Amino acid sequence: MAKSFDVIVVGAGPAGSLAALKLARAGKNVCLLERGRRPGEKNMFGGLVHYTPVLSELIPDFTERAPLERHVYKKTLAFLTEDSAVSLTFASGAFDKPPFNGFTCFRPAFDGWLAAEAERAGALLLNNCTAEKLIIKDGQVSGVTVKGREGELHANIVIAADGVLSRLGRQAGLRDGLKPAATGLGIKLLLGLPEATINERFGLARDQGADISLVGATGGMRGGAFIYTNRETVSVGLVVHLDALAASGRPPYEVLDGFLDHPAVRHLVKGATPLEYSAHLIPEGGYKAIPRLYGGGLMLAGDAAGLCYTNGINLEGINLAMTSGVLAAETAIEALEAGDYGARFLSRYRKKLAKSFVIKDMKTFKHAAGMMHRENIFEKYPRLLANIMEKLYRVDGRPRTKLLNLIRREALKEVGLKGIAADGIKIGRSLL
Amino acid sequence: MNIEALTQLTQFEVDERAHIVVNADVCRTCPHRACVAACPANCYTWDEATQLLSVVYETCLECGTCDCVCDQGALDWGYPRGGYGVRYRLT
């Protein structure tokens, strides 16, 4: 095994496959390495692919071709306490017609399809290949070795789309290991239910889907839970910060068990058949944690580049990954045409990302990663909201208080004046 | 559901070569052994009687949580060889 390519893309996830597709369409000799027996079998996410311009540009009819489950019609943000739920649901006709805002899907199916599109365009997909080491020549990356196999693969440029752990990015010295406080662990259980039951329980029709994010469902740990509807399955899971998880000493699947037994959740998943259990890490350091994105002969894309963010309302990663893959491929095409693979030339990649929504959005919400470390958000505010709602609706013969007074009294009781001020500043800087 | 039932839902192609090796000497003096509770597949076990930390790599979901929470340098963690390890079918 010794071969040469224009570009080696490591990792046939959304970033890697779209990079390979773009390069192959430009007539470049591109090799796409995947460590699974087939693309997608190592990958999981909560469940939502948002509308992504680069995907629609490269595959205009992707909504007909891609293996998608349901389009998201209903978005719910819910706050849970032990025995109550306060939620806000947005269901809109605007999300119920093309261009759809997002689709639920499965990664083995979606990633497999996307890699096949790259193959069809002429990329060489090599499954069963775990990239082990970067080959460095004259201070520049010039290929990779594959674990457990003799020989080397050579290329002018390597695009490392090798996921959140990015062993290659670390080897190249572009990034450090993950820090527990800036990393989320996502675990998920896929539950089978008849289509009609899902439609009935979630109030959906046809291909309509629901996306529910829940705060306060993670046993006091910083994190959140999610529920996504697929056609005949429901994805349920949670994401917790690794430092909070480690400090709690609680196994994450126990927390998930508790969540599934919450009165607001129990009836949604009642009688469902457990089908698959999965886990994955998420880069949650935000803008400030973005590593160096390129070096001589090397670019990082997708989770490997830490391109992912949450601000409590938006949770985005796969669209950022796909966009970064295409921009890395564009840069590689320009570099191949110029015959220059040095770090200086490849710095164009960083500039392209900075001009795109990828880094712009991450920058806009650069304070959100800090906000997500306010412990109060995950336990005290859900309880505060529930207390206010209960008092608003409770009829017990006692004189009522006007709304503002009620909120002030409950907030002072739950978080105190100092807490409100400190949290208010953090939340305000992040979102307002 | 308990964790044994959960990991039985997931499919694995088990390699005879372990992709995780623990340094039991380091683990013996670890102040927290956070890997034991944090691993979402319950791969790590601490035996109080023998003072040994052991790992079952066969049901590893390859998420990297253990490597991230281990601040003692006790883990030699890498991805399995290509084609081996966890194989998600649906997810």
Side-chain angles (χ1 to χ4, degrees), chain A residues 35 37 41-42 44 106 108 128 130 147 165 167 180 185 188 249 251-253 257 274-279 281, chain B residues 1 3 6 9-10 13 37-38 40 42 62-63 65 68 77 79-91:
Chain A
R35 67 186 186 90
R37 297 209 165 192
E41 87 178 3
K42 299 289 184 182
M44 76 82 109
F106 299 130
N128 303 307
T130 304
K147 191 171 183 175
L165 305 180
R167 317 288 284 180
L185 166 66
K188 173 171 135 175
Y253 39 87
D257 238 11
L275 296 173
E276 195 167 52
Y277 175 66
S278 53
L281 293 185
Chain B
M1 283 186 81
I3 186 61
L6 283 174
L9 297 171
T10 308
E13 193 70 41
N42 194 29
E62 297 160 36
C63 67
T65 293
C68 190
W77 196 102
Y79 284 127
R81 280 188 297 166
Y84 291 99
V86 69
R87 299 187 65 190
Y88 293 133
R89 298 156 294 134
L90 306 158
T91 292

Side-chain angles (χ1 to χ4, degrees), chain A residues 229-263:
Chain A
T229 58
N230 307 302
R231 195 168 295 277
E232 295 181 298
T233 54
V234 176
S235 301
V236 293
L238 42 95
V239 178
V240 287
H241 281 155
L242 273 188
D243 60 334
L245 178 68
S248 80
R250 287 185 67 192
Y253 39 87
E254 264 182 37
V255 183
L256 178 63
D257 238 11
F259 169 62
L260 293 177
D261 198 34
H262 189 280

